[in-house]
Amino acid sequence: MVEEALRAVIDVLVGLVEAAGAGVIVVGALWATIRFVVDGIRHRDAAVFTPVRLSLGRFLVLGLEFQLAGDILRTAVAPSFEEIGQLAAIAAIRTALNYFLGREIAEEQRQVREEKGRGPDAEARTGEDAR
Amino acid sequence: MSQLALAIAATGLVSALAVVLGTRFWRTALVVLTEFLTAAGLVQLAEAPTWTQLATAAIIVVVRRMVVTSLRGQNHAHLHDRSATPG
């Protein structure tokens, strides 16, 4: 009786947390699409896309954090080994992606800082390299 | 959720197209497309996923990582060539 009530509460919480994670990712994707289209038409320069990509990466990382929280909540009631295996696989994928995204964001932030320090010539050169 | 993932993949195509048409930087467009495909894969994992969906998401993450690493390597090589070339 108590276990069923607990299961129902956790199911609702998992649904809410995972919906929040998906919502964050969807909002980030829509925002980034608008920025890519507007900046692509206005500026015609690859350097302007780096901050947009960084922001999209941050949205993805935030969404992943929510989804990982949902996975952790779900392990509170995992009845079969198959479900535990799937949860482990999802958590592994999300943790790996979170790690790589975090590293890429840090790396690109460093590049943006370096380019700002070097001035407009370096930014133009980076734009040519992206071709 | 799968329709939402499809919509995100479609917006990724639009964004990549905007990058290519606006700047002619196809490498940047490829990275942008893989970012959106990753987002679509993650949204699809939000509901109870199947093993196939899990494998697809893992493959997208690996491909995205390979593309980003490859492009970064090419950019470093270009910068190295430029700094080695006199003038």
Side-chain angles (χ1 to χ4, degrees):
Chain A
M1 187 75 177
V2 175
E3 194 184 321
E4 280 177 14
L6 183 69
R7 193 185 295 264
V9 169
I10 287 176
D11 278 349
V12 171
L13 286 177
V14 167
L16 285 176
V17 171
E18 291 203 330
V24 167
I25 293 171
V26 169
V27 168
L30 288 177
W31 175 84
T33 304
I34 293 166
R35 288 290 308 273
F36 277 124
V37 172
V38 171
D39 289 351
I41 293 167
R42 271 192 196 161
H43 298 285
R44 298 181 177 273
D45 177 13
V48 298
F49 296 126
T50 307
V52 185
R53 281 190 51 228
L54 281 178
S55 300
L56 177 58
R58 284 195 200 99
F59 272 107
L60 291 187
V61 169
L62 182 61
L64 271 172
E65 300 283 359
F66 273 104
Q67 293 189 340
L68 271 173
D71 288 345
I72 292 166
L73 262 178
R74 203 181 280 160
T75 52
V77 276
S80 70
F81 272 107
E82 171 137 4
E83 279 191 20
I84 293 172
Q86 282 191 339
L87 284 173
I90 294 169
I93 290 171
R94 288 177 182 166
T95 307
L97 187 63
N98 211 350
Y99 171 75
F100 287 133
L101 279 172
R103 269 184 54 179
E104 282 167 26
I105 287 172
E107 171 94 358
E108 298 218 2
Q109 274 176 336
R110 190 180 56 77
Q111 281 182 359
V112 168
R113 273 199 303 272
E114 280 178 7
E115 280 162 17
K116 277 184 181 166
R118 271 185 263 156
D121 288 349
E123 283 184 31
R125 210 180 306 139
T126 311
E128 284 174 27
D129 287 330
R131 279 179 202 266
Chain B
M1 281 295 177
S2 56
Q3 284 182 341
L4 207 58
L6 202 65
I8 292 177
T11 58
L13 274 175
V14 171
S15 301
L17 207 64
V19 173
V20 169
L21 292 178
T23 65
R24 312 261 181 238
F25 295 161
W26 65 269
R27 288 179 193 167
T28 312
L30 196 60
V31 175
V32 166
L33 183 62
T34 56
E35 303 270 1
F36 277 89
L37 290 181
T38 308
L42 291 179
V43 166
Q44 219 169 11
L45 290 188
E47 62 182 347
T50 62
W51 285 110
T52 315
Q53 284 175 330
L54 276 173
T56 310
I59 289 168
I60 292 171
V61 170
V62 171
V63 168
R64 179 188 168 281
R65 183 71 197 149
M66 282 165 64
V67 169
V68 169
T69 307
S70 155
L71 295 185
R72 189 161 288 156
Q74 284 177 353
N75 280 352
H76 279 300
H78 280 218
L79 285 175
H80 182 73
D81 288 348
R82 281 166 187 274
S83 61
T85 309

Tab-separated table of all heavy atoms in Angstrom, chain A residues 18-29 59-60 63-64 67 94 97, chain B residues 1-9 35-49 53 57 60:
chain	number	residue	atom	x	y	z
A	18	GLU	N	11.408	15.415	-15.777
A	18	GLU	CA	11.841	15.130	-17.158
A	18	GLU	C	11.167	16.069	-18.157
A	18	GLU	O	11.777	16.462	-19.149
A	18	GLU	CB	11.576	13.670	-17.500
A	18	GLU	CG	12.504	12.768	-16.695
A	18	GLU	CD	12.720	11.415	-17.306
A	18	GLU	OE1	11.809	10.936	-17.988
A	18	GLU	OE2	13.804	10.846	-17.096
A	19	ALA	N	9.923	16.451	-17.881
A	19	ALA	CA	9.252	17.431	-18.759
A	19	ALA	C	9.971	18.773	-18.676
A	19	ALA	O	10.140	19.458	-19.700
A	19	ALA	CB	7.789	17.587	-18.360
A	20	ALA	N	10.416	19.135	-17.459
A	20	ALA	CA	11.165	20.397	-17.314
A	20	ALA	C	12.459	20.335	-18.121
A	20	ALA	O	12.818	21.294	-18.818
A	20	ALA	CB	11.466	20.651	-15.839
A	21	GLY	N	13.150	19.185	-18.051
A	21	GLY	CA	14.402	19.018	-18.814
A	21	GLY	C	14.162	19.125	-20.310
A	21	GLY	O	14.884	19.845	-21.021
A	22	ALA	N	13.115	18.440	-20.790
A	22	ALA	CA	12.790	18.492	-22.219
A	22	ALA	C	12.394	19.918	-22.611
A	22	ALA	O	12.774	20.406	-23.682
A	22	ALA	CB	11.662	17.521	-22.537
A	23	GLY	N	11.644	20.591	-21.719
A	23	GLY	CA	11.230	21.979	-21.994
A	23	GLY	C	12.420	22.904	-22.152
A	23	GLY	O	12.457	23.729	-23.068
A	24	VAL	N	13.408	22.745	-21.264
A	24	VAL	CA	14.613	23.582	-21.344
A	24	VAL	C	15.314	23.365	-22.691
A	24	VAL	O	15.717	24.325	-23.364
A	24	VAL	CB	15.570	23.254	-20.169
A	24	VAL	CG1	16.949	23.862	-20.400
A	24	VAL	CG2	14.996	23.755	-18.853
A	25	ILE	N	15.434	22.097	-23.106
A	25	ILE	CA	16.112	21.782	-24.376
A	25	ILE	C	15.330	22.362	-25.560
A	25	ILE	O	15.916	22.951	-26.482
A	25	ILE	CB	16.298	20.254	-24.529
A	25	ILE	CG1	17.296	19.760	-23.474
A	25	ILE	CG2	16.809	19.894	-25.920
A	25	ILE	CD1	17.407	18.265	-23.388
A	26	VAL	N	14.001	22.232	-25.529
A	26	VAL	CA	13.173	22.744	-26.635
A	26	VAL	C	13.282	24.271	-26.721
A	26	VAL	O	13.474	24.831	-27.813
A	26	VAL	CB	11.698	22.311	-26.452
A	26	VAL	CG1	10.794	23.043	-27.427
A	26	VAL	CG2	11.571	20.815	-26.654
A	27	VAL	N	13.182	24.947	-25.558
A	27	VAL	CA	13.298	26.417	-25.549
A	27	VAL	C	14.666	26.833	-26.095
A	27	VAL	O	14.771	27.748	-26.932
A	27	VAL	CB	13.074	26.971	-24.116
A	27	VAL	CG1	13.484	28.432	-24.025
A	27	VAL	CG2	11.620	26.819	-23.710
A	28	GLY	N	15.718	26.141	-25.644
A	28	GLY	CA	17.081	26.451	-26.121
A	28	GLY	C	17.199	26.262	-27.620
A	28	GLY	O	17.798	27.093	-28.315
A	29	ALA	N	16.614	25.176	-28.149
A	29	ALA	CA	16.698	24.898	-29.592
A	29	ALA	C	15.960	25.969	-30.389
A	29	ALA	O	16.464	26.447	-31.418
A	29	ALA	CB	16.126	23.516	-29.885
A	59	PHE	N	22.100	25.380	-22.576
A	59	PHE	CA	20.714	24.888	-22.474
A	59	PHE	C	20.713	23.349	-22.422
A	59	PHE	O	19.980	22.755	-21.626
A	59	PHE	CB	19.891	25.354	-23.689
A	59	PHE	CG	19.249	26.702	-23.521
A	59	PHE	CD1	19.722	27.808	-24.199
A	59	PHE	CD2	18.156	26.863	-22.688
A	59	PHE	CE1	19.131	29.057	-24.056
A	59	PHE	CE2	17.551	28.103	-22.541
A	59	PHE	CZ	18.034	29.203	-23.225
A	60	LEU	N	21.535	22.718	-23.290
A	60	LEU	CA	21.579	21.256	-23.329
A	60	LEU	C	22.073	20.702	-21.994
A	60	LEU	O	21.527	19.731	-21.466
A	60	LEU	CB	22.489	20.767	-24.462
A	60	LEU	CG	22.017	20.983	-25.893
A	60	LEU	CD1	22.948	20.277	-26.877
A	60	LEU	CD2	20.616	20.473	-26.095
A	63	GLY	N	19.316	21.063	-19.420
A	63	GLY	CA	18.286	20.052	-19.662
A	63	GLY	C	18.740	18.673	-19.223
A	63	GLY	O	17.986	17.897	-18.635
A	64	LEU	N	20.020	18.371	-19.495
A	64	LEU	CA	20.592	17.077	-19.091
A	64	LEU	C	20.591	16.915	-17.574
A	64	LEU	O	20.352	15.814	-17.062
A	64	LEU	CB	22.036	16.983	-19.595
A	64	LEU	CG	22.223	16.418	-20.984
A	64	LEU	CD1	23.667	16.571	-21.409
A	64	LEU	CD2	21.861	14.959	-20.991
A	67	GLN	N	17.237	15.870	-16.572
A	67	GLN	CA	16.936	14.492	-16.961
A	67	GLN	C	17.706	13.492	-16.103
A	67	GLN	O	17.187	12.423	-15.777
A	67	GLN	CB	17.229	14.308	-18.444
A	67	GLN	CG	16.251	15.124	-19.293
A	67	GLN	CD	16.343	14.837	-20.758
A	67	GLN	OE1	17.350	14.307	-21.229
A	67	GLN	NE2	15.319	15.197	-21.498
A	94	ARG	N	24.103	10.313	-20.647
A	94	ARG	CA	23.900	11.707	-20.240
A	94	ARG	C	25.111	12.258	-19.503
A	94	ARG	O	25.488	13.417	-19.679
A	94	ARG	CB	22.644	11.819	-19.379
A	94	ARG	CG	21.411	11.651	-20.216
A	94	ARG	CD	20.161	11.672	-19.405
A	94	ARG	NE	19.011	11.453	-20.281
A	94	ARG	CZ	17.808	11.155	-19.870
A	94	ARG	NH1	17.557	11.025	-18.582
A	94	ARG	NH2	16.834	10.978	-20.726
A	97	LEU	N	27.848	12.879	-22.111
A	97	LEU	CA	27.526	14.064	-22.916
A	97	LEU	C	27.707	15.344	-22.095
A	97	LEU	O	28.258	16.339	-22.585
A	97	LEU	CB	26.086	13.960	-23.419
A	97	LEU	CG	25.680	15.040	-24.411
A	97	LEU	CD1	26.509	14.958	-25.667
A	97	LEU	CD2	24.216	14.928	-24.761
B	1	MET	N	6.738	12.816	-27.676
B	1	MET	CA	8.140	13.256	-27.562
B	1	MET	C	8.890	13.069	-28.882
B	1	MET	O	9.738	13.865	-29.223
B	1	MET	CB	8.867	12.469	-26.469
B	1	MET	CG	8.596	12.926	-25.063
B	1	MET	SD	9.197	14.598	-24.726
B	1	MET	CE	8.639	14.804	-23.057
B	2	SER	N	8.543	11.984	-29.622
B	2	SER	CA	9.277	11.748	-30.869
B	2	SER	C	8.938	12.835	-31.904
B	2	SER	O	9.788	13.181	-32.728
B	2	SER	CB	8.981	10.354	-31.418
B	2	SER	OG	7.604	10.193	-31.585
B	3	GLN	N	7.702	13.365	-31.835
B	3	GLN	CA	7.350	14.456	-32.762
B	3	GLN	C	8.099	15.738	-32.396
B	3	GLN	O	8.533	16.487	-33.268
B	3	GLN	CB	5.841	14.698	-32.729
B	3	GLN	CG	5.076	13.625	-33.494
B	3	GLN	CD	3.586	13.862	-33.520
B	3	GLN	OE1	3.080	14.613	-32.703
B	3	GLN	NE2	2.901	13.202	-34.429
B	4	LEU	N	8.273	15.936	-31.077
B	4	LEU	CA	9.042	17.091	-30.600
B	4	LEU	C	10.502	16.975	-31.064
B	4	LEU	O	11.111	17.947	-31.526
B	4	LEU	CB	8.979	17.124	-29.071
B	4	LEU	CG	9.119	18.473	-28.382
B	4	LEU	CD1	8.064	19.434	-28.859
B	4	LEU	CD2	9.039	18.293	-26.869
B	5	ALA	N	11.040	15.733	-30.966
B	5	ALA	CA	12.420	15.478	-31.400
B	5	ALA	C	12.556	15.742	-32.901
B	5	ALA	O	13.545	16.325	-33.360
B	5	ALA	CB	12.819	14.046	-31.063
B	6	LEU	N	11.528	15.339	-33.653
B	6	LEU	CA	11.527	15.569	-35.109
B	6	LEU	C	11.512	17.066	-35.411
B	6	LEU	O	12.219	17.543	-36.317
B	6	LEU	CB	10.295	14.889	-35.719
B	6	LEU	CG	10.361	14.567	-37.204
B	6	LEU	CD1	11.430	13.542	-37.484
B	6	LEU	CD2	9.004	14.066	-37.694
B	7	ALA	N	10.714	17.813	-34.618
B	7	ALA	CA	10.638	19.268	-34.809
B	7	ALA	C	11.998	19.910	-34.526
B	7	ALA	O	12.429	20.817	-35.253
B	7	ALA	CB	9.574	19.854	-33.890
B	8	ILE	N	12.698	19.423	-33.472
B	8	ILE	CA	14.022	19.987	-33.151
B	8	ILE	C	15.011	19.669	-34.273
B	8	ILE	O	15.813	20.526	-34.670
B	8	ILE	CB	14.524	19.444	-31.797
B	8	ILE	CG1	13.649	19.990	-30.665
B	8	ILE	CG2	15.978	19.825	-31.554
B	8	ILE	CD1	13.998	19.468	-29.304
B	9	ALA	N	14.945	18.436	-34.800
B	9	ALA	CA	15.832	18.079	-35.922
B	9	ALA	C	15.553	18.984	-37.126
B	9	ALA	O	16.486	19.421	-37.823
B	9	ALA	CB	15.640	16.614	-36.288
B	35	GLU	N	24.666	19.603	-33.142
B	35	GLU	CA	24.173	20.095	-31.839
B	35	GLU	C	22.657	19.862	-31.736
B	35	GLU	O	22.152	19.388	-30.721
B	35	GLU	CB	24.434	21.604	-31.681
B	35	GLU	CG	25.865	22.038	-31.804
B	35	GLU	CD	26.601	22.038	-30.479
B	35	GLU	OE1	25.981	21.687	-29.476
B	35	GLU	OE2	27.797	22.370	-30.480
B	36	PHE	N	21.943	20.214	-32.819
B	36	PHE	CA	20.484	20.080	-32.805
B	36	PHE	C	20.067	18.608	-32.804
B	36	PHE	O	19.089	18.233	-32.155
B	36	PHE	CB	19.873	20.811	-34.007
B	36	PHE	CG	19.695	22.285	-33.773
B	36	PHE	CD1	20.705	23.173	-34.077
B	36	PHE	CD2	18.527	22.786	-33.241
B	36	PHE	CE1	20.563	24.528	-33.857
B	36	PHE	CE2	18.363	24.141	-33.021
B	36	PHE	CZ	19.388	25.017	-33.327
B	37	LEU	N	20.834	17.759	-33.533
B	37	LEU	CA	20.503	16.329	-33.543
B	37	LEU	C	20.704	15.734	-32.153
B	37	LEU	O	19.949	14.862	-31.713
B	37	LEU	CB	21.353	15.587	-34.584
B	37	LEU	CG	21.028	15.890	-36.045
B	37	LEU	CD1	21.933	15.068	-36.967
B	37	LEU	CD2	19.564	15.592	-36.355
B	38	THR	N	21.752	16.216	-31.438
B	38	THR	CA	21.968	15.774	-30.063
B	38	THR	C	20.784	16.169	-29.186
B	38	THR	O	20.281	15.361	-28.398
B	38	THR	CB	23.258	16.407	-29.497
B	38	THR	OG1	24.318	16.153	-30.399
B	38	THR	CG2	23.594	15.838	-28.143
B	39	ALA	N	20.335	17.424	-29.341
B	39	ALA	CA	19.183	17.902	-28.569
B	39	ALA	C	17.954	17.034	-28.855
B	39	ALA	O	17.225	16.643	-27.932
B	39	ALA	CB	18.893	19.358	-28.911
B	40	ALA	N	17.749	16.682	-30.143
B	40	ALA	CA	16.601	15.847	-30.505
B	40	ALA	C	16.719	14.464	-29.859
B	40	ALA	O	15.736	13.931	-29.330
B	40	ALA	CB	16.524	15.709	-32.025
B	41	GLY	N	17.919	13.901	-29.863
B	41	GLY	CA	18.140	12.589	-29.239
B	41	GLY	C	17.859	12.623	-27.747
B	41	GLY	O	17.278	11.691	-27.190
B	42	LEU	N	18.250	13.718	-27.096
B	42	LEU	CA	18.041	13.849	-25.641
B	42	LEU	C	16.553	13.965	-25.305
B	42	LEU	O	16.080	13.372	-24.337
B	42	LEU	CB	18.776	15.082	-25.108
B	42	LEU	CG	20.290	15.006	-25.120
B	42	LEU	CD1	20.881	16.297	-24.590
B	42	LEU	CD2	20.768	13.837	-24.292
B	43	VAL	N	15.820	14.732	-26.134
B	43	VAL	CA	14.386	14.886	-25.891
B	43	VAL	C	13.682	13.541	-26.047
B	43	VAL	O	12.774	13.199	-25.283
B	43	VAL	CB	13.794	15.943	-26.853
B	43	VAL	CG1	12.282	15.884	-26.871
B	43	VAL	CG2	14.235	17.332	-26.420
B	44	GLN	N	14.149	12.736	-27.017
B	44	GLN	CA	13.531	11.431	-27.240
B	44	GLN	C	13.763	10.489	-26.046
B	44	GLN	O	12.958	9.597	-25.797
B	44	GLN	CB	14.099	10.812	-28.511
B	44	GLN	CG	13.039	10.098	-29.306
B	44	GLN	CD	13.493	9.708	-30.676
B	44	GLN	OE1	14.684	9.795	-30.994
B	44	GLN	NE2	12.585	9.268	-31.498
B	45	LEU	N	14.877	10.708	-25.320
B	45	LEU	CA	15.174	9.860	-24.158
B	45	LEU	C	14.342	10.250	-22.932
B	45	LEU	O	14.362	9.539	-21.929
B	45	LEU	CB	16.661	9.956	-23.794
B	45	LEU	CG	17.665	9.321	-24.741
B	45	LEU	CD1	19.047	9.345	-24.128
B	45	LEU	CD2	17.282	7.886	-25.060
B	46	ALA	N	13.613	11.389	-23.017
B	46	ALA	CA	12.882	11.872	-21.838
B	46	ALA	C	11.751	10.913	-21.447
B	46	ALA	O	11.500	10.704	-20.277
B	46	ALA	CB	12.329	13.267	-22.095
B	47	GLU	N	11.066	10.330	-22.449
B	47	GLU	CA	10.064	9.319	-22.089
B	47	GLU	C	10.782	7.966	-22.004
B	47	GLU	O	11.920	7.864	-22.419
B	47	GLU	CB	8.958	9.276	-23.140
B	47	GLU	CG	9.443	8.889	-24.510
B	47	GLU	CD	8.328	8.906	-25.537
B	47	GLU	OE1	7.178	8.981	-25.158
B	47	GLU	OE2	8.651	8.840	-26.724
B	48	ALA	N	10.106	6.950	-21.453
B	48	ALA	CA	10.738	5.633	-21.269
B	48	ALA	C	11.305	5.131	-22.601
B	48	ALA	O	10.551	4.796	-23.516
B	48	ALA	CB	9.712	4.655	-20.738
B	49	PRO	N	12.637	5.094	-22.737
B	49	PRO	CA	13.230	4.784	-24.041
B	49	PRO	C	13.397	3.276	-24.281
B	49	PRO	O	13.453	2.506	-23.335
B	49	PRO	CB	14.598	5.448	-23.950
B	49	PRO	CG	14.922	5.435	-22.500
B	49	PRO	CD	13.652	5.412	-21.734
B	53	GLN	N	16.424	3.309	-29.194
B	53	GLN	CA	16.534	4.762	-29.001
B	53	GLN	C	17.805	5.105	-28.233
B	53	GLN	O	18.479	6.099	-28.532
B	53	GLN	CB	15.309	5.299	-28.253
B	53	GLN	CG	14.069	5.389	-29.126
B	53	GLN	CD	12.850	5.806	-28.331
B	53	GLN	OE1	12.743	5.525	-27.153
B	53	GLN	NE2	11.916	6.465	-28.982
B	57	ALA	N	20.817	7.435	-29.620
B	57	ALA	CA	21.313	8.621	-28.909
B	57	ALA	C	22.819	8.511	-28.669
B	57	ALA	O	23.558	9.487	-28.853
B	57	ALA	CB	20.577	8.784	-27.589
B	60	ILE	N	24.665	9.181	-31.904
B	60	ILE	CA	24.661	10.624	-32.236
B	60	ILE	C	25.718	11.358	-31.404
B	60	ILE	O	26.463	12.193	-31.916
B	60	ILE	CB	23.263	11.255	-31.990
B	60	ILE	CG1	22.266	10.711	-32.999
B	60	ILE	CG2	23.324	12.776	-32.119
B	60	ILE	CD1	20.830	11.119	-32.701
